[in-house]
Amino acid sequence: MHKEALETFKLLKQNGLRPDIVSYTSLLNAYGRSAQPEKAREVFNEMRKNSCKPNKVSYNALIDAYGSAGLMLKEAISTLLTACGRCSQVTKIDAILAAAKSRAIELNTVAYNSGIGSYLSLGDYEKALELYALMRTRNVKPDAVTYNVLISGSCKLGKYAESLKFFEEMMDLKIHLTKEVYSSVICSYVKQVAFLASAIGPHA
């Protein structure tokens, strides 16, 4: 029946009618059933362009579309969280996490890393910390990627001392240091020294 749904949606637009949240969500479901997540994503983006705000049902339909294409739901959520970070959509990150929670989907390390990284890339440090705290509370083990995201993200936001605390925490947990982590830590040290020097001033 998904083909009929797609044709009906096309007719709706051809007749000059504006699709609403129900129409869009139905189309998301149709693409999900036909295992076409990219098409579902295009519909989702069209909703935003047309000022049709997605709701929890819409996000669930989009998540299902990725799942129907062979992606595990946790992987699908990770993909969506990363995409939202790149397109500067904090509200979408919130909604995706809420949709996952409502469906009792337990996020894995990759999903948490994607969410934390997306919040940090948008400058929302507090929400990134809240999500990291939730990760630890639920006993989801952080990895080198988690800490690299936290260290580099904190550094970019000018929180040099905080970034180095994450490095210390990583060392305490005996997590293997990667080249990326070393680079992020070096950057934090250099920028912290430069910041302190400018704060003290030339006449101190």
Side-chain angles (χ1 to χ4, degrees), residues 93-122:
I93 299 172
D94 294 342
I96 290 170
L97 292 172
K101 181 179 180 180
S102 70
R103 297 172 57 149
I105 297 173
E106 292 293 334
L107 303 185
N108 57 16
T109 301
V110 176
Y112 275 111
N113 290 349
S114 298
I116 293 167
S118 294
Y119 276 135
L120 288 172
S121 69
L122 298 175

Side-chain angles (χ1 to χ4, degrees), residues 53-105:
K53 187 177 179 180
N55 58 21
K56 184 173 67 176
V57 178
S58 305
Y59 280 102
N60 283 332
L62 183 59
I63 291 170
D64 280 339
Y66 276 89
S68 67
L71 282 171
M72 295 295 290
L73 290 180
K74 292 178 183 179
E75 295 174 354
I77 291 170
S78 298
T79 300
L80 294 173
L81 287 172
T82 301
C84 288
R86 289 173 180 165
C87 67
S88 303
Q89 293 289 331
V90 171
T91 54
K92 285 189 177 182
I93 299 172
D94 294 342
I96 290 170
L97 292 172
K101 181 179 180 180
S102 70
R103 297 172 57 149
I105 297 173

Side-chain angles (χ1 to χ4, degrees), residues 120-169:
L120 288 172
S121 69
L122 298 175
D124 202 326
Y125 189 71
E126 294 305 317
K127 284 191 175 180
L129 289 188
E130 287 175 7
L131 190 56
Y132 172 65
L134 180 63
M135 177 185 190
R136 299 304 305 276
T137 299
R138 295 192 172 172
N139 295 318
V140 178
K141 292 184 178 180
D143 57 12
V145 175
T146 310
Y147 283 103
N148 186 55
V149 166
L150 288 166
I151 293 167
S152 62
S154 298
C155 182
K156 288 175 183 176
L157 294 176
K159 298 182 180 295
Y160 312 121
E162 290 87 343
S163 70
L164 295 175
K165 285 181 181 178
F166 283 123
F167 176 59
E168 292 173 3
E169 185 176 315

Side-chain angles (χ1 to χ4, degrees), residues 38-56:
E38 295 307 318
K39 288 291 186 181
R41 183 61 190 274
E42 288 176 12
V43 171
F44 198 79
N45 289 337
E46 184 181 321
M47 291 175 68
R48 179 171 57 86
K49 290 179 182 178
N50 291 336
S51 300
C52 185
K53 187 177 179 180
N55 58 21
K56 184 173 67 176

